[in-house]
Amino acid sequence: MKETSMRRRDWLAGLAGAMVASGSTPDIEYELSEDGGWCWFQDERALMIGDRVVFGYVASGHRDPRRRGRVEIAEWGPNDRVATAGLHEPEAESERRAWVDDHNAPAFLMRRDGRILVVYSQHGRENRIYYRISKEPGDIRAWGAERVFVPSESSRVTYTNLHRVGGRIYNFFRGLDNSYKPSYMYSEDEGETWRTGNVLIQVPAQFRHRPYVRYAGDGRETVHMVYTEGHPRDFDNSVYHVYLRDGQLHRSDATVLARLEKGLGRPEDGTRIFSGDAGNVAWTSDVHLDRSGLPVVVYSVQKDGAGKKPGEAGEDHRYRYARWDGRQWMDEEIGYAGSKLYPGEDDYTGNVCLDPQNVDVVYASSNVEVRTGQRLAHGRYQLFRGERQRGKWQWAPMTDTRDQDNIRPVVPIGGKGIVLWLRGRMTTYTNYRLAVMGKRLA
C-alpha cells in the first residue's frame, strides 16, 4: 500500500470573493490521486468507513505508464493523507491498454463483518466479473485473492452496482447472455460465492437496446431503480422508476409488476417520471433516498437533437430533479448543463449528483453558468453547488480552473460535506487525463 501527501489547492482569490458574496465560504480542495477515472453507472463508488473516505478508479497511466489500466482503491483520512492499493493489475501491455476504460471502475459494499467487498469488470469485452474481499474489517491494505464469477459463457458484462436486501447481496450489472440488458447476480454468503439471476428489463425492438439504470437501496429491504429505454443516441429516452421489495418489482405507487426472476417485459411497465421526445432526450445521473425512504432523482436532458444526426447535436443540455412524494412524481428543471463533454457523445455532460445526506442539495458540472446558460469565461466545466431554499434553487460556484474540466461529482453516503470529482481532460471513455479531487465543505 502506498501513502502520499496530497496537493493542497487554495481557492483563487476571485472565486473566493464570489463565494463569500453568495454566502458561502472558501474551502480547500485536494488532489487525491493524480491519475484516475470513473463512469457514473457503478455504485457505490465511494464509502465512508468511520471518518475515512474509501473510493476506487481506473488509472490511465498518463503520469506513470506502470499504472496504465490499474484498478485501484484509495483512502482519504482525516489527517488529509491518501493511502492507495491495487485491486487489479494487468500484466501484458495489450491487457493494460484494454483495461484503460472508465467503465471498469469498482463498486464497494461493507459486509456484515466489517470487511469490504469490491466488484469490477471490463466494458463488454468478456464474461468475467471480478471480486475481492479485504482481509480485515475496514482495512484497504490487504486483500484476499482476486476471484472471478462468470454469469454465463455467452455473457458480455459491464458496470457493477452492489446492494443488500436482507441476507442477500445483489450485483446489478449489464450483459447477461450477451443481452445488452440490465441483469443481476446474487450472493447469500456475503459475497463469497455468487449465483446467476436474470435480465431485469427487456426491450422489444428490432435491434438491441440497452436501458441505463441507476440504483439506490436502503440496505435492508428495498432497491430503487431509475432507468431509460436505451442509450440516448438510439432512443428519445424517457425516465422510469420501479423498486424491488419482497422479491417483486413494483411501480412507484406499490403496484406489483413482476417477480424479480421474470423481470420487466418492457421499460414502459415502470412508472414514467419524464416523457422524452426528439427535443427532450433524457439520461439518468443519480438517485438517492430522502429521510422518509422515498426516491429522489437527478438526470440530464438534451434539448437540441430534433431533426439532427448523431454528432450534430449536444450543445444544449439541462439538469432536472424529480422527487416522489408518496403519491406522485414532482419533476422540474433546475439548471443549464452546457454542451456535450466531447465529440462523438452528444449526450455526455459533466454530470450532476445528489447529496445523500440532504437531497435538497445537488452538485452539478457545467461549462455554462448553471442559472442562466451563459458561457463561462474559460469554457471549461466547473462545479456548482445547488440547494433548494424556500422552494427556489440557489447556486454557488465551487471551482474555477482555466485549462481543466471538473466533472462527474459524487458524494458518499454518510460523507457529510464531502465531495469527490474528476479534474483534467477527457477525449473518450478510454482516453482521459484526469485526477481525482476531493473537498470537505464547511
Side-chain angles (χ1 to χ4, degrees), residues 299-347:
Y299 59 101
S300 62
V301 173
Q302 184 207 123
K303 303 286 288 186
D304 65 336
K308 297 179 181 179
K309 298 178 181 179
E312 297 178 348
E315 297 305 312
D316 182 7
H317 295 88
R318 311 288 175 85
Y319 290 131
R320 297 187 68 90
Y321 176 102
R323 189 170 195 158
W324 175 253
D325 67 2
R327 295 175 299 175
Q328 61 183 332
W329 281 96
M330 310 298 292
D331 179 52
E332 61 179 325
E333 182 176 300
I334 61 172
Y336 289 85
S339 59
K340 58 191 173 188
L341 189 60
Y342 59 77
E345 292 287 0
D346 291 354
D347 300 271

Tab-separated table of all heavy atoms in Angstrom, residues 299-347:
chain	number	residue	atom	x	y	z
A	299	TYR	N	-31.180	14.001	-13.333
A	299	TYR	CA	-30.855	13.478	-14.657
A	299	TYR	C	-30.654	14.626	-15.631
A	299	TYR	O	-30.945	15.793	-15.303
A	299	TYR	CB	-31.941	12.525	-15.149
A	299	TYR	CG	-33.331	13.112	-15.270
A	299	TYR	CD1	-33.827	13.506	-16.510
A	299	TYR	CD2	-34.160	13.252	-14.159
A	299	TYR	CE1	-35.105	14.033	-16.638
A	299	TYR	CE2	-35.439	13.775	-14.273
A	299	TYR	CZ	-35.908	14.168	-15.510
A	299	TYR	OH	-37.175	14.689	-15.634
A	300	SER	N	-30.131	14.318	-16.809
A	300	SER	CA	-29.893	15.335	-17.829
A	300	SER	C	-30.838	15.121	-19.004
A	300	SER	O	-31.317	14.012	-19.245
A	300	SER	CB	-28.435	15.288	-18.311
A	300	SER	OG	-28.147	14.037	-18.911
A	301	VAL	N	-31.094	16.207	-19.731
A	301	VAL	CA	-31.949	16.161	-20.916
A	301	VAL	C	-31.273	16.952	-22.031
A	301	VAL	O	-30.915	18.125	-21.841
A	301	VAL	CB	-33.346	16.748	-20.622
A	301	VAL	CG1	-34.164	16.846	-21.914
A	301	VAL	CG2	-34.083	15.897	-19.606
A	302	GLN	N	-31.073	16.309	-23.188
A	302	GLN	CA	-30.558	17.002	-24.370
A	302	GLN	C	-31.726	17.678	-25.085
A	302	GLN	O	-32.725	17.034	-25.407
A	302	GLN	CB	-29.870	16.013	-25.309
A	302	GLN	CG	-29.222	16.680	-26.508
A	302	GLN	CD	-29.116	15.764	-27.708
A	302	GLN	OE1	-29.612	16.063	-28.778
A	302	GLN	NE2	-28.459	14.619	-27.522
A	303	LYS	N	-31.566	18.984	-25.364
A	303	LYS	CA	-32.685	19.775	-25.872
A	303	LYS	C	-32.609	20.092	-27.370
A	303	LYS	O	-33.587	20.599	-27.934
A	303	LYS	CB	-32.756	21.111	-25.123
A	303	LYS	CG	-32.877	20.987	-23.605
A	303	LYS	CD	-34.260	20.554	-23.183
A	303	LYS	CE	-35.265	21.659	-23.373
A	303	LYS	NZ	-36.594	21.290	-22.818
A	304	ASP	N	-31.484	19.832	-28.029
A	304	ASP	CA	-31.300	20.356	-29.385
A	304	ASP	C	-31.086	19.273	-30.437
A	304	ASP	O	-30.483	19.516	-31.470
A	304	ASP	CB	-30.106	21.319	-29.414
A	304	ASP	CG	-28.788	20.637	-29.107
A	304	ASP	OD1	-28.798	19.584	-28.439
A	304	ASP	OD2	-27.735	21.138	-29.524
A	305	GLY	N	-31.609	18.068	-30.188
A	305	GLY	CA	-31.339	16.967	-31.110
A	305	GLY	C	-32.391	16.721	-32.170
A	305	GLY	O	-32.176	15.916	-33.086
A	306	ALA	N	-33.545	17.380	-32.077
A	306	ALA	CA	-34.634	17.102	-33.021
A	306	ALA	C	-34.209	17.386	-34.455
A	306	ALA	O	-33.699	18.464	-34.772
A	306	ALA	CB	-35.857	17.943	-32.666
A	307	GLY	N	-34.384	16.388	-35.317
A	307	GLY	CA	-34.072	16.536	-36.727
A	307	GLY	C	-32.605	16.483	-37.067
A	307	GLY	O	-32.228	16.716	-38.222
A	308	LYS	N	-31.748	16.171	-36.098
A	308	LYS	CA	-30.309	16.144	-36.333
A	308	LYS	C	-29.769	14.722	-36.275
A	308	LYS	O	-30.321	13.863	-35.597
A	308	LYS	CB	-29.587	17.011	-35.307
A	308	LYS	CG	-29.946	18.482	-35.384
A	308	LYS	CD	-29.204	19.280	-34.328
A	308	LYS	CE	-29.580	20.755	-34.401
A	308	LYS	NZ	-28.891	21.551	-33.352
A	309	LYS	N	-28.663	14.497	-36.962
A	309	LYS	CA	-27.988	13.214	-36.931
A	309	LYS	C	-27.053	13.160	-35.717
A	309	LYS	O	-26.648	14.209	-35.200
A	309	LYS	CB	-27.184	13.008	-38.214
A	309	LYS	CG	-28.026	12.974	-39.482
A	309	LYS	CD	-27.131	12.810	-40.694
A	309	LYS	CE	-27.960	12.806	-41.978
A	309	LYS	NZ	-27.091	12.679	-43.176
A	310	PRO	N	-26.689	11.944	-35.267
A	310	PRO	CA	-25.705	11.844	-34.182
A	310	PRO	C	-24.434	12.608	-34.520
A	310	PRO	O	-23.923	12.545	-35.629
A	310	PRO	CB	-25.452	10.338	-34.087
A	310	PRO	CG	-26.720	9.719	-34.579
A	310	PRO	CD	-27.205	10.630	-35.677
A	311	GLY	N	-23.954	13.363	-33.576
A	311	GLY	CA	-22.764	14.177	-33.774
A	311	GLY	C	-23.056	15.625	-34.089
A	311	GLY	O	-22.173	16.478	-33.997
A	312	GLU	N	-24.303	15.917	-34.471
A	312	GLU	CA	-24.667	17.277	-34.836
A	312	GLU	C	-25.291	18.052	-33.680
A	312	GLU	O	-25.467	19.264	-33.773
A	312	GLU	CB	-25.651	17.263	-36.012
A	312	GLU	CG	-25.068	16.676	-37.290
A	312	GLU	CD	-26.086	16.630	-38.416
A	312	GLU	OE1	-27.287	16.840	-38.145
A	312	GLU	OE2	-25.677	16.395	-39.564
A	313	ALA	N	-25.666	17.358	-32.607
A	313	ALA	CA	-26.378	17.995	-31.502
A	313	ALA	C	-25.504	17.993	-30.249
A	313	ALA	O	-24.299	17.809	-30.306
A	313	ALA	CB	-27.699	17.272	-31.255
A	314	GLY	N	-26.149	18.193	-29.112
A	314	GLY	CA	-25.454	18.144	-27.837
A	314	GLY	C	-24.897	19.464	-27.372
A	314	GLY	O	-23.984	19.494	-26.537
A	315	GLU	N	-25.446	20.586	-27.859
A	315	GLU	CA	-24.965	21.892	-27.431
A	315	GLU	C	-25.850	22.522	-26.356
A	315	GLU	O	-25.543	23.605	-25.866
A	315	GLU	CB	-24.867	22.835	-28.641
A	315	GLU	CG	-23.869	22.369	-29.682
A	315	GLU	CD	-22.479	22.144	-29.100
A	315	GLU	OE1	-21.988	23.022	-28.368
A	315	GLU	OE2	-21.893	21.077	-29.375
A	316	ASP	N	-26.956	21.866	-26.023
A	316	ASP	CA	-27.856	22.414	-25.004
A	316	ASP	C	-28.430	21.283	-24.166
A	316	ASP	O	-29.348	20.589	-24.583
A	316	ASP	CB	-28.991	23.205	-25.669
A	316	ASP	CG	-29.935	23.851	-24.653
A	316	ASP	OD1	-29.641	23.804	-23.442
A	316	ASP	OD2	-30.973	24.396	-25.076
A	317	HIS	N	-27.856	21.112	-22.984
A	317	HIS	CA	-28.360	20.138	-22.015
A	317	HIS	C	-28.895	20.870	-20.790
A	317	HIS	O	-28.417	21.945	-20.450
A	317	HIS	CB	-27.257	19.168	-21.561
A	317	HIS	CG	-26.725	18.291	-22.643
A	317	HIS	ND1	-25.696	18.661	-23.464
A	317	HIS	CD2	-27.086	17.048	-23.033
A	317	HIS	CE1	-25.433	17.687	-24.320
A	317	HIS	NE2	-26.257	16.698	-24.078
A	318	ARG	N	-29.854	20.249	-20.143
A	318	ARG	CA	-30.399	20.792	-18.904
A	318	ARG	C	-30.391	19.704	-17.835
A	318	ARG	O	-30.490	18.515	-18.143
A	318	ARG	CB	-31.845	21.272	-19.101
A	318	ARG	CG	-32.051	22.148	-20.311
A	318	ARG	CD	-31.460	23.537	-20.180
A	318	ARG	NE	-31.600	24.275	-21.435
A	318	ARG	CZ	-32.685	24.963	-21.778
A	318	ARG	NH1	-33.725	25.013	-20.943
A	318	ARG	NH2	-32.728	25.607	-22.931
A	319	TYR	N	-30.288	20.129	-16.591
A	319	TYR	CA	-30.410	19.205	-15.472
A	319	TYR	C	-31.820	19.306	-14.880
A	319	TYR	O	-32.382	20.401	-14.757
A	319	TYR	CB	-29.382	19.515	-14.391
A	319	TYR	CG	-27.960	19.192	-14.785
A	319	TYR	CD1	-26.934	20.116	-14.601
A	319	TYR	CD2	-27.633	17.955	-15.343
A	319	TYR	CE1	-25.627	19.821	-14.950
A	319	TYR	CE2	-26.336	17.653	-15.711
A	319	TYR	CZ	-25.333	18.585	-15.512
A	319	TYR	OH	-24.047	18.290	-15.872
A	320	ARG	N	-32.350	18.141	-14.518
A	320	ARG	CA	-33.676	18.066	-13.922
A	320	ARG	C	-33.619	17.291	-12.612
A	320	ARG	O	-32.709	16.472	-12.393
A	320	ARG	CB	-34.681	17.424	-14.884
A	320	ARG	CG	-34.902	18.216	-16.159
A	320	ARG	CD	-36.025	17.626	-17.012
A	320	ARG	NE	-37.323	17.787	-16.377
A	320	ARG	CZ	-38.111	18.837	-16.561
A	320	ARG	NH1	-37.736	19.842	-17.343
A	320	ARG	NH2	-39.292	18.886	-15.961
A	321	TYR	N	-34.622	17.536	-11.773
A	321	TYR	CA	-34.697	16.987	-10.423
A	321	TYR	C	-36.120	16.484	-10.233
A	321	TYR	O	-37.088	17.210	-10.496
A	321	TYR	CB	-34.371	18.102	-9.437
A	321	TYR	CG	-34.467	17.787	-7.962
A	321	TYR	CD1	-33.318	17.537	-7.221
A	321	TYR	CD2	-35.689	17.800	-7.293
A	321	TYR	CE1	-33.395	17.304	-5.848
A	321	TYR	CE2	-35.766	17.565	-5.922
A	321	TYR	CZ	-34.608	17.311	-5.208
A	321	TYR	OH	-34.675	17.087	-3.857
A	322	ALA	N	-36.253	15.238	-9.791
A	322	ALA	CA	-37.580	14.650	-9.589
A	322	ALA	C	-37.635	13.983	-8.225
A	322	ALA	O	-36.670	13.348	-7.797
A	322	ALA	CB	-37.903	13.645	-10.688
A	323	ARG	N	-38.804	14.107	-7.581
A	323	ARG	CA	-38.956	13.595	-6.223
A	323	ARG	C	-40.323	12.939	-6.084
A	323	ARG	O	-41.340	13.526	-6.447
A	323	ARG	CB	-38.824	14.754	-5.234
A	323	ARG	CG	-38.751	14.351	-3.782
A	323	ARG	CD	-38.380	15.540	-2.938
A	323	ARG	NE	-37.951	15.149	-1.603
A	323	ARG	CZ	-37.191	15.894	-0.824
A	323	ARG	NH1	-36.752	17.071	-1.242
A	323	ARG	NH2	-36.841	15.473	0.376
A	324	TRP	N	-40.348	11.704	-5.574
A	324	TRP	CA	-41.599	11.000	-5.311
A	324	TRP	C	-42.093	11.416	-3.925
A	324	TRP	O	-41.385	11.262	-2.929
A	324	TRP	CB	-41.380	9.499	-5.377
A	324	TRP	CG	-42.571	8.665	-5.013
A	324	TRP	CD1	-42.748	7.942	-3.876
A	324	TRP	CD2	-43.749	8.459	-5.799
A	324	TRP	NE1	-43.954	7.298	-3.900
A	324	TRP	CE2	-44.598	7.592	-5.073
A	324	TRP	CE3	-44.178	8.922	-7.048
A	324	TRP	CZ2	-45.843	7.185	-5.549
A	324	TRP	CZ3	-45.412	8.519	-7.526
A	324	TRP	CH2	-46.230	7.654	-6.785
A	325	ASP	N	-43.317	11.971	-3.862
A	325	ASP	CA	-43.829	12.461	-2.585
A	325	ASP	C	-44.758	11.464	-1.897
A	325	ASP	O	-45.416	11.794	-0.903
A	325	ASP	CB	-44.548	13.797	-2.771
A	325	ASP	CG	-45.838	13.691	-3.578
A	325	ASP	OD1	-46.216	12.572	-3.977
A	325	ASP	OD2	-46.487	14.742	-3.806
A	326	GLY	N	-44.796	10.245	-2.398
A	326	GLY	CA	-45.668	9.217	-1.852
A	326	GLY	C	-46.929	9.026	-2.668
A	326	GLY	O	-47.607	8.001	-2.545
A	327	ARG	N	-47.231	10.012	-3.524
A	327	ARG	CA	-48.424	9.930	-4.379
A	327	ARG	C	-48.111	10.188	-5.845
A	327	ARG	O	-48.720	9.608	-6.732
A	327	ARG	CB	-49.469	10.943	-3.915
A	327	ARG	CG	-50.029	10.679	-2.514
A	327	ARG	CD	-50.964	11.788	-2.101
A	327	ARG	NE	-50.260	13.074	-2.056
A	327	ARG	CZ	-50.843	14.243	-1.820
A	327	ARG	NH1	-52.153	14.296	-1.629
A	327	ARG	NH2	-50.138	15.362	-1.768
A	328	GLN	N	-47.141	11.069	-6.106
A	328	GLN	CA	-46.815	11.422	-7.483
A	328	GLN	C	-45.364	11.893	-7.563
A	328	GLN	O	-44.745	12.222	-6.546
A	328	GLN	CB	-47.742	12.535	-7.979
A	328	GLN	CG	-47.636	13.817	-7.175
A	328	GLN	CD	-48.598	14.876	-7.637
A	328	GLN	OE1	-48.991	14.912	-8.803
A	328	GLN	NE2	-49.014	15.758	-6.734
A	329	TRP	N	-44.843	11.915	-8.787
A	329	TRP	CA	-43.516	12.435	-9.033
A	329	TRP	C	-43.598	13.934	-9.282
A	329	TRP	O	-44.347	14.397	-10.135
A	329	TRP	CB	-42.869	11.742	-10.229
A	329	TRP	CG	-42.328	10.398	-9.892
A	329	TRP	CD1	-42.935	9.196	-10.072
A	329	TRP	CD2	-41.048	10.128	-9.300
A	329	TRP	NE1	-42.129	8.175	-9.624
A	329	TRP	CE2	-40.957	8.717	-9.150
A	329	TRP	CE3	-39.984	10.920	-8.888
A	329	TRP	CZ2	-39.846	8.098	-8.597
A	329	TRP	CZ3	-38.867	10.308	-8.341
A	329	TRP	CH2	-38.808	8.916	-8.208
A	330	MET	N	-42.820	14.699	-8.532
A	330	MET	CA	-42.684	16.137	-8.720
A	330	MET	C	-41.380	16.367	-9.472
A	330	MET	O	-40.299	16.052	-8.962
A	330	MET	CB	-42.675	16.856	-7.368
A	330	MET	CG	-43.830	16.460	-6.444
A	330	MET	SD	-45.444	16.863	-7.113
A	330	MET	CE	-45.371	18.659	-7.044
A	331	ASP	N	-41.465	16.899	-10.682
A	331	ASP	CA	-40.321	16.958	-11.586
A	331	ASP	C	-40.124	18.396	-12.062
A	331	ASP	O	-41.098	19.077	-12.407
A	331	ASP	CB	-40.567	16.024	-12.775
A	331	ASP	CG	-39.438	16.038	-13.773
A	331	ASP	OD1	-38.288	15.858	-13.366
A	331	ASP	OD2	-39.718	16.238	-14.978
A	332	GLU	N	-38.852	18.852	-12.098
A	332	GLU	CA	-38.589	20.229	-12.507
A	332	GLU	C	-37.197	20.357	-13.116
A	332	GLU	O	-36.283	19.592	-12.810
A	332	GLU	CB	-38.684	21.167	-11.301
A	332	GLU	CG	-37.665	20.844	-10.212
A	332	GLU	CD	-37.735	21.790	-9.018
A	332	GLU	OE1	-38.024	22.983	-9.240
A	332	GLU	OE2	-37.502	21.344	-7.885
A	333	GLU	N	-37.050	21.348	-13.998
A	333	GLU	CA	-35.725	21.710	-14.491
A	333	GLU	C	-35.053	22.592	-13.457
A	333	GLU	O	-35.673	23.514	-12.911
A	333	GLU	CB	-35.850	22.459	-15.815
A	333	GLU	CG	-34.503	22.836	-16.421
A	333	GLU	CD	-34.648	23.502	-17.782
A	333	GLU	OE1	-35.216	22.848	-18.695
A	333	GLU	OE2	-34.224	24.667	-17.927
A	334	ILE	N	-33.762	22.324	-13.194
A	334	ILE	CA	-33.073	23.076	-12.146
A	334	ILE	C	-31.865	23.859	-12.645
A	334	ILE	O	-31.361	24.716	-11.917
A	334	ILE	CB	-32.633	22.162	-10.980
A	334	ILE	CG1	-31.646	21.089	-11.457
A	334	ILE	CG2	-33.847	21.541	-10.312
A	334	ILE	CD1	-31.033	20.300	-10.312
A	335	GLY	N	-31.364	23.586	-13.861
A	335	GLY	CA	-30.195	24.331	-14.308
A	335	GLY	C	-29.719	23.921	-15.679
A	335	GLY	O	-30.129	22.896	-16.233
A	336	TYR	N	-28.819	24.755	-16.219
A	336	TYR	CA	-28.209	24.507	-17.519
A	336	TYR	C	-26.969	23.630	-17.350
A	336	TYR	O	-26.107	23.914	-16.514
A	336	TYR	CB	-27.814	25.824	-18.169
A	336	TYR	CG	-28.987	26.649	-18.637
A	336	TYR	CD1	-29.655	27.498	-17.760
A	336	TYR	CD2	-29.423	26.580	-19.956
A	336	TYR	CE1	-30.740	28.260	-18.180
A	336	TYR	CE2	-30.508	27.340	-20.392
A	336	TYR	CZ	-31.156	28.182	-19.501
A	336	TYR	OH	-32.221	28.929	-19.924
A	337	ALA	N	-26.880	22.588	-18.162
A	337	ALA	CA	-25.751	21.663	-18.094
A	337	ALA	C	-24.678	21.954	-19.134
A	337	ALA	O	-23.611	21.344	-19.117
A	337	ALA	CB	-26.245	20.224	-18.265
A	338	GLY	N	-24.967	22.866	-20.079
A	338	GLY	CA	-23.975	23.219	-21.083
A	338	GLY	C	-23.972	22.277	-22.262
A	338	GLY	O	-24.974	21.649	-22.602
A	339	SER	N	-22.817	22.153	-22.892
A	339	SER	CA	-22.690	21.362	-24.119
A	339	SER	C	-22.104	19.990	-23.824
A	339	SER	O	-21.681	19.695	-22.704
A	339	SER	CB	-21.805	22.104	-25.120
A	339	SER	OG	-20.515	22.342	-24.575
A	340	LYS	N	-22.067	19.146	-24.861
A	340	LYS	CA	-21.566	17.783	-24.710
A	340	LYS	C	-20.111	17.787	-24.259
A	340	LYS	O	-19.335	18.690	-24.590
A	340	LYS	CB	-21.713	17.024	-26.010
A	340	LYS	CG	-21.011	17.654	-27.208
A	340	LYS	CD	-21.427	16.975	-28.495
A	340	LYS	CE	-20.876	17.694	-29.715
A	340	LYS	NZ	-21.429	17.152	-30.975
A	341	LEU	N	-19.763	16.761	-23.526
A	341	LEU	CA	-18.436	16.691	-22.916
A	341	LEU	C	-17.345	16.525	-23.962
A	341	LEU	O	-16.267	17.109	-23.844
A	341	LEU	CB	-18.393	15.533	-21.909
A	341	LEU	CG	-17.171	15.434	-21.012
A	341	LEU	CD1	-17.010	16.686	-20.164
A	341	LEU	CD2	-17.277	14.200	-20.113
A	342	TYR	N	-17.615	15.719	-24.985
A	342	TYR	CA	-16.645	15.570	-26.072
A	342	TYR	C	-17.349	15.080	-27.329
A	342	TYR	O	-18.434	14.493	-27.259
A	342	TYR	CB	-15.489	14.644	-25.682
A	342	TYR	CG	-15.853	13.234	-25.274
A	342	TYR	CD1	-16.190	12.259	-26.219
A	342	TYR	CD2	-15.807	12.855	-23.935
A	342	TYR	CE1	-16.485	10.962	-25.847
A	342	TYR	CE2	-16.105	11.556	-23.550
A	342	TYR	CZ	-16.443	10.612	-24.512
A	342	TYR	OH	-16.730	9.330	-24.130
A	343	PRO	N	-16.769	15.344	-28.520
A	343	PRO	CA	-17.392	14.927	-29.781
A	343	PRO	C	-17.568	13.418	-29.829
A	343	PRO	O	-16.733	12.644	-29.339
A	343	PRO	CB	-16.394	15.399	-30.839
A	343	PRO	CG	-15.634	16.508	-30.181
A	343	PRO	CD	-15.532	16.121	-28.741
A	344	GLY	N	-18.691	12.998	-30.431
A	344	GLY	CA	-18.977	11.576	-30.555
A	344	GLY	C	-19.974	11.073	-29.544
A	344	GLY	O	-20.534	9.987	-29.701
A	345	GLU	N	-20.189	11.848	-28.476
A	345	GLU	CA	-21.177	11.501	-27.452
A	345	GLU	C	-22.034	12.727	-27.182
A	345	GLU	O	-21.745	13.522	-26.287
A	345	GLU	CB	-20.500	11.012	-26.166
A	345	GLU	CG	-19.793	9.681	-26.286
A	345	GLU	CD	-20.752	8.490	-26.369
A	345	GLU	OE1	-21.973	8.704	-26.334
A	345	GLU	OE2	-20.258	7.351	-26.477
A	346	ASP	N	-23.080	12.899	-27.967
A	346	ASP	CA	-23.899	14.100	-27.867
A	346	ASP	C	-24.566	14.266	-26.510
A	346	ASP	O	-24.973	15.374	-26.156
A	346	ASP	CB	-24.997	14.083	-28.934
A	346	ASP	CG	-24.454	14.250	-30.342
A	346	ASP	OD1	-23.240	14.489	-30.483
A	346	ASP	OD2	-25.243	14.136	-31.298
A	347	ASP	N	-24.696	13.183	-25.750
A	347	ASP	CA	-25.461	13.222	-24.508
A	347	ASP	C	-24.596	13.191	-23.258
A	347	ASP	O	-25.135	13.207	-22.146
A	347	ASP	CB	-26.457	12.058	-24.478
A	347	ASP	CG	-27.424	12.125	-25.639
A	347	ASP	OD1	-28.475	12.763	-25.493
A	347	ASP	OD2	-27.123	11.555	-26.701
